[in-house]
């Protein structure tokens, strides 16, 4: 079955960096656009970034443009999110999944930005 395993979340100080990873399985990864989402406590889940099958990045939320970079490694069935210049408002649980498929959500990985 389709599965997503997110990792790399941590507690980091404002201005710091983290690299999230998402290992995917159960489908043809190289044929799928992939996205990162996040959900802060008490807020709705939001789309953060999308990368197409070609590796071209098709979307960044305005709030992360210039700070976050999405990438993919089709040989490892893995999508990454490099997060720089982190802010307290980036605190959330981060999830990945296929952009255009009704997949179940994985467990996510917690990112906390605090001094």
């Amino acid at each position: 079955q389709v599965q997503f395993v997110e990792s790399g979340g941590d507690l980091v100080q404002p201005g710091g960096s983290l690299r999230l990873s998402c290992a995917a399985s159960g489908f043809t990864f190289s044929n799928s656009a992939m996205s990162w989402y996040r959900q802060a406590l008490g807020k709705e889940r939001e789309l953060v970034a999308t990368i197409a099958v070609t590796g071209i990045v098709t979307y960044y939320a305005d709030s992360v443009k210039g700070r976050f970079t999405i990438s993919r490694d089709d040989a490892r069935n893995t999508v990454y999110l490099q997060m720089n210049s982190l802010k307290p408002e980036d605190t959330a649980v981060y999830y990945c999944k296929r952009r255009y498929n009704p997949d179940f959500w994985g467990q996510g990985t917690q990112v906390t930005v605090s001094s």
Side-chain angles (χ1 to χ4, degrees):
Q1 70 275 24
V2 174
Q3 281 190 323
F4 306 99
V5 179
E6 301 92 346
S7 62
D10 204 346
L11 170 63
V12 62
Q13 291 188 344
S17 297
L18 283 175
R19 188 194 195 203
L20 306 184
S21 299
C22 170
S25 61
F27 63 97
T28 305
F29 182 84
S30 58
N31 289 349
S32 301
M34 296 296 299
S35 290
W36 282 97
Y37 300 78
R38 67 185 181 185
Q39 186 167 22
L41 194 62
K43 295 187 177 181
E44 292 189 357
R45 190 173 282 143
E46 64 171 335
L47 176 63
V48 174
T50 296
I51 186 165
V53 295
T54 56
I56 295 174
V57 178
T58 60
Y59 178 80
Y60 285 115
D62 288 343
S63 58
V64 308
K65 281 180 182 175
R67 300 188 299 121
F68 289 12
T69 302
I70 187 172
S71 62
R72 64 188 297 155
D73 184 340
D74 289 350
R76 289 181 167 83
N77 286 4
T78 300
V79 60
Y80 303 98
L81 187 68
Q82 177 67 43
M83 306 187 295
N84 299 328
S85 303
L86 282 162
K87 304 175 181 180
E89 50 264 43
D90 295 319
T91 295
V93 179
Y94 284 73
Y95 304 87
C96 76
K97 78 175 198 64
R98 291 182 290 182
R99 177 66 181 93
Y100 301 112
N101 298 78
D103 298 318
F104 289 109
W105 297 98
Q107 291 189 327
T109 186
Q110 175 71 49
V111 172
T112 303
V113 185
S114 175
S115 55

